[in-house]
Amino acid sequence: MPLDASLLVQMLLGALLGLSVYLPLRAGQLSLATPGFYAIGGYTAALLSTRFPALAGDGALYPLPSLLLELVLAALIAGALALAIGGPVLKLKGIYLAIATIALVEILRVLNLNLGFTGGATGLFAIPQPFEGPVGYLLLSLAVLALVCWLCARLERLRLGRAMEAIREDELAAACMGLDTARVKLLSFLFSALVAAVAGVISAHFLNTWNARQGSFDASITTLAFVVFGGSRTWLGPVVGGLALTALPELLRPVGDLRLVVYGLVILLGPILFPQGLITPELLRRLRWPFRQTSAEAPAP
Amino acid sequence: MIGARALGLVALLAALTGCGPGADTKPLNLSAGLPVGAALSLTGNANVYGQDQQIGLRLAQESVKGPGGKPVALRLEDGGSDEQSATSAFNLLIEGGAIALIGPTLSQQAFAADPIAQRRGVPVVAPSNTASGIPEIGSFISRVSAQSSVIAPLSIAKALELHPGIKRAAVFYAHDDAYSTSETTIFQKALSAKGLPPVTVQRTQLNDQDFQNQITAALRLKPDLIVLSLQAVDGGNLIRQLRELGYRGVIVVGNGMNTPNIYPICQKHCDGILIAQAYSPELDTPANREFVRRYKAAKGGAIPPQLTAQAFTALQVISEAADRLDRRQPLAKLNLRSARAALNSELLSGRYQTPLGEIGFTADGEVVQKQFFVAQVRMAPGGRTGRFALLN
């Protein structure tokens, strides 16, 4: 059966990356920087767990407190970088912001390839395992995803979330109403960085190895596809997109040589048949989804 | 209501993940033959290698016999060219009850997928991983592909022997590729050891098509030996551009270009390049003559490349070891876990007459191979096909 625990972990990590692209998009900002922060998370975990024997503990398994330390440190580094570059970069709009964030991903990739301590193109390997098997990773990533989803659902009702939506709909009007648009956009960029960094930490342990290929331009496009496919109007969209598009190549294995052709067709047909993505607020309202959808329930007065 | 949904989700996940390591205590299923799994790069940028390997496995499946004279039940899965696909393919094959695994194609994929097999106690024979540190992943990991530090220096020595007047060496490598960066270090050390520290080291990227800048920069320094650590597609293009821009000196290439798939890329310009190989089709042993005969019959007279021979060897080693083990201790009576462990120790202790010559393993799982070769590419008139001609 191809749908085993370890594929589920990859799917949940895909959903987290989808959410990381979705968060700036909520505020109308097309940022493709997610793989950059994901790589920072991965390298933080890989370096800490392979280069500092003090963290590894005495037992067969890598201690959970050390994993927690990696998560916190990765979030701090990614958050600091997001705050530092977010200010100038978020002054750019639309496609220009996308290009600037691609440049960030590329800069980080070239740095990781050439800094001595990141292991060059081979990367870092023999990353210790905090869990016996994939089920531990499954529970951890499920918990993280549930937390992030809950926060995103809360965000849709909070003042900050509504401010993000206002900026997405019309930035000029939102600024005229007295919203500090720069601050709101920066916060959405920061949230995106934190989610991606946390996903990177889990992913590095799960993959046993980390290298510069994990945070590449290709990954930017893949994660963007999660959101385009799943829908960018509610948090459930990128989650469904991330889960589905990560699982699909594996579930299509019985198709044989043509599986990537079919996968490509699905990605192509998705936006043609569902231009708003699979999950839209209208769909959720029809299905009586229990979480309130602000954009659907509260039309402009 | 939300709580109930969450509980339902957890129950669903638990049901989905229910079949776990428990499968290991099932008896080994030999009904269709010895169950061997292979995960090769059939898609992605490493697929040129995966295609060569796939033929090798198919030929081995036809010619070698597993325990009881039954053919091997080979299950081939696409390992893609990234870490995630290789991991998924390994998981799938392990759950499917494979007694041993072959793959993955790239060393970086091996660093991700091999630890999974190691933890589950499944022997892995790597047919093409040449990075250092692969057998060190664990006791169940071995390889039939000699690492580049052993092979690469041979071609430099041969180039200097054929052209003793060489004074200035230039080096090219793709700085974003793991194979390329690790092999170039070995080439550069070998050059320095021969008193020829490179006059320039040019960096390219794996997906580059146009190398004019790097080539012009290098040719300005008038090199008479150029050493490339590049993969098939970028390396083939770079050689074509080197010759078109007027370079007439010696070219030495690394293991990444060790495939006939370079001929259509650099065509007549491939002629004369030197390469060190872990396999020569001209090796005159019964095992290799038989392998070459089968390959020629299957591919309309073409000459087998190294990756095909190594993939063939990987499956041959596994089935011969299983056969030996079965005679001593019938495999059908063992459960999957103990069969895997027994096969691993049998595999590492044996010696094998393979297309690569006689090989064995160190206790770590590193291949012990007697002969290595240096070949020169000779293109046929017209520049469409060619061959790796063995140099003595």
Side-chain angles (χ1 to χ4, degrees):
Chain A
M1 184 176 65
L3 197 68
D4 64 351
S6 90
L7 178 58
L8 283 171
V9 177
Q10 291 186 16
M11 289 163 62
L12 294 172
L13 292 171
L16 278 172
L17 292 179
L19 282 171
S20 164
V21 180
Y22 156 81
L23 280 162
L25 219 50
R26 265 189 71 82
Q29 309 303 307
L30 177 57
S31 157
L32 298 177
T34 291
F37 296 114
Y38 178 61
I40 288 179
Y43 273 109
T44 308
L47 284 170
L48 284 179
S49 59
T50 56
R51 300 284 160 90
F52 294 91
L55 287 174
D58 306 324
L61 293 179
Y62 190 68
L64 289 179
S66 304
L67 183 65
L68 198 66
L69 176 75
E70 286 171 10
L71 285 168
V72 171
L73 208 61
L76 281 177
I77 297 172
L81 182 68
L83 289 179
I85 61 161
V89 164
L90 289 168
K91 290 205 171 72
L92 300 168
K93 286 195 175 59
I95 194 76
Y96 301 102
L97 173 64
I99 292 171
T101 49
I102 290 173
L104 171 71
V105 171
E106 198 61 13
I107 289 168
L108 286 171
R109 188 180 73 93
V110 173
L111 275 179
N112 289 330
L113 282 170
N114 292 290
L115 290 173
F117 59 86
T118 51
T122 312
L124 300 158
F125 51 89
I127 299 178
Q129 296 299 303
F131 306 109
E132 293 264 1
V135 178
Y137 286 103
L138 182 60
L139 295 176
L140 174 66
S141 31
L142 197 61
V144 172
L145 181 64
L147 178 70
V148 175
C149 286
W150 179 73
L151 289 173
C152 286
R154 287 287 301 153
L155 197 60
E156 296 190 353
R157 299 192 216 177
L158 288 178
R159 190 184 148 83
L160 179 65
R162 287 168 187 264
M164 287 179 177
E165 256 165 62
I167 294 173
R168 180 182 68 198
E169 298 303 329
D170 191 334
E171 188 170 343
L172 186 61
C176 290
M177 282 159 67
L179 277 179
D180 184 352
T181 56
R183 188 178 141 270
V184 173
K185 288 196 287 186
L186 188 60
L187 278 176
S188 70
F189 191 60
L190 172 69
F191 294 158
S192 158
L194 297 181
V195 173
V198 166
V201 171
I202 304 176
S203 195
H205 283 281
F206 176 68
L207 278 182
N208 303 300
T209 176
W210 196 260
N211 54 50
R213 301 201 300 177
Q214 305 307 320
S216 64
F217 174 63
D218 295 2
S220 295
I221 300 307
T222 314
T223 47
L224 181 63
F226 295 166
V227 183
V228 172
F229 186 80
S232 62
R233 288 296 155 133
T234 97
W235 59 267
L236 197 60
V239 173
V240 170
L243 293 175
L245 291 190
T246 314
L248 206 55
E250 295 305 320
L251 299 183
L252 285 173
R253 277 189 185 271
V255 178
D257 290 346
L258 286 177
R259 71 187 177 111
L260 292 186
V261 177
V262 178
Y263 179 61
L265 273 179
V266 171
I267 295 189
L268 188 69
L269 288 178
I272 292 176
L273 299 177
F274 304 95
Q276 304 282 318
L278 284 184
I279 310 287
T280 57
E282 292 73 29
L283 177 77
L284 292 182
R285 206 173 36 196
R286 247 184 300 144
L287 295 176
R288 298 175 189 281
W289 177 253
F291 299 105
R292 244 181 71 194
Q293 299 297 319
T294 44
S295 54
E297 283 185 6
Chain B
M1 181 177 180
I2 297 167
R5 275 173 196 240
L7 269 181
L9 186 66
V10 170
L12 178 71
L13 287 174
L16 285 171
T17 55
C19 54
D24 293 1
T25 51
K26 283 192 304 198
L28 176 67
N29 181 6
L30 286 168
S31 56
L34 187 76
V36 177
L40 301 176
S41 300
L42 303 179
T43 56
N45 58 15
N47 84 81
V48 281
Y49 307 122
Q51 309 296 343
D52 279 357
Q53 296 178 308
Q54 191 178 5
I55 303 163
L57 291 184
R58 216 183 59 220
L59 293 178
Q61 203 188 356
E62 288 165 8
S63 71
V64 299
K65 293 276 180 279
K70 278 193 196 166
V72 175
L74 179 71
R75 177 169 174 196
L76 176 63
E77 287 291 339
D78 176 19
S81 297
D82 60 333
E83 289 74 4
Q84 284 85 349
S85 303
T87 302
S88 299
F90 260 39
N91 275 318
L92 199 57
L93 294 167
I94 294 173
E95 288 301 333
I99 189 169
L101 299 176
I102 296 171
T105 301
L106 301 175
S107 296
Q108 280 174 322
Q109 294 181 300
F111 286 128
D114 285 357
I116 295 171
Q118 171 67 26
R119 288 198 283 276
R120 296 287 296 272
V122 187
V124 177
V125 180
S128 57
N129 303 151
T130 53
S132 55
I134 297 285
E136 287 81 357
I137 292 172
S139 53
F140 282 89
I141 315 298
S142 57
R143 62 171 155 197
V144 295
S145 45
Q147 55 174 329
S148 22
S149 58
V150 183
I151 309 174
L154 298 176
S155 50
I156 303 278
K158 188 53 121 182
L160 294 177
E161 183 191 318
L162 294 176
H163 307 274
I166 289 174
K167 288 278 175 295
R168 300 166 68 80
V171 170
F172 285 74
Y173 76 98
H175 82 123
D176 57 346
D177 181 43
Y179 144 73
S180 202
T181 49
S182 51
E183 196 189 63
T184 196
T185 338
I186 294 154
F187 270 137
Q188 290 179 34
K189 265 192 211 142
L191 284 170
S192 302
K194 295 275 180 192
L196 277 176
V199 290
T200 173
V201 176
Q202 294 291 328
R203 293 142 52 99
T204 65
Q205 297 213 51
L206 187 55
N207 292 325
D208 279 355
Q209 306 275 329
D210 176 11
F211 304 96
Q212 309 233 2
N213 287 339
Q214 290 97 330
I215 292 175
T216 336
L219 292 190
R220 214 175 283 141
L221 297 168
K222 307 218 174 310
D224 44 16
L225 167 66
I226 288 185
V227 180
L228 310 178
S229 287
L230 296 170
Q231 299 216 7
V233 177
D234 52 337
N237 277 317
L238 193 135
I239 288 180
R240 189 168 50 74
Q241 292 172 28
L242 260 178
R243 293 300 191 201
E244 283 169 359
L245 289 172
Y247 176 69
R248 293 281 162 268
V250 184
I251 300 178
V252 166
V253 301
N255 197 35
M257 301 187 65
N258 205 345
T259 159
N261 297 336
I262 62 169
Y263 304 150
I265 305 170
C266 49
Q267 300 187 2
K268 65 176 199 269
H269 301 299
C270 302
D271 198 64
I273 61 177
L274 291 172
I275 184 165
Q277 298 181 307
Y279 168 71
S280 170
E282 298 176 23
L283 177 68
D284 198 19
T285 62
N288 189 43
R289 279 197 302 270
E290 172 65 11
F291 167 70
V292 172
R293 189 189 62 74
R294 281 180 182 273
Y295 186 87
K296 282 186 169 167
K299 296 284 285 181
I303 294 161
Q306 173 183 313
L307 286 166
T308 307
Q310 286 174 330
F312 182 99
T313 303
L315 189 57
Q316 181 193 344
V317 162
I318 291 174
S319 48
E320 280 185 14
D323 189 33
R324 271 201 319 269
L325 179 64
D326 188 55
R327 284 165 206 274
R328 219 177 48 233
Q329 182 185 15
L331 278 171
K333 291 190 180 144
L334 296 176
N335 70 25
L336 198 46
R337 177 184 287 274
S338 31
R340 285 165 171 169
L343 178 62
N344 189 55
S345 41
E346 183 65 42
L347 200 152
L348 293 180
S349 62
R351 298 203 66 79
Y352 307 86
Q353 300 300 329
T354 72
L356 308 178
E358 185 184 325
I359 64 163
F361 296 95
T362 65
D364 258 3
E366 185 67 82
V367 64
V368 180
Q369 185 175 348
K370 287 196 174 142
Q371 285 154 294
F372 296 104
F373 313 90
V374 181
Q376 187 163 33
V377 174
R378 301 264 162 75
M379 296 303 289
R384 282 287 167 191
T385 58
R387 67 190 186 97
F388 291 107
L390 184 64
L391 297 178
N392 290 314

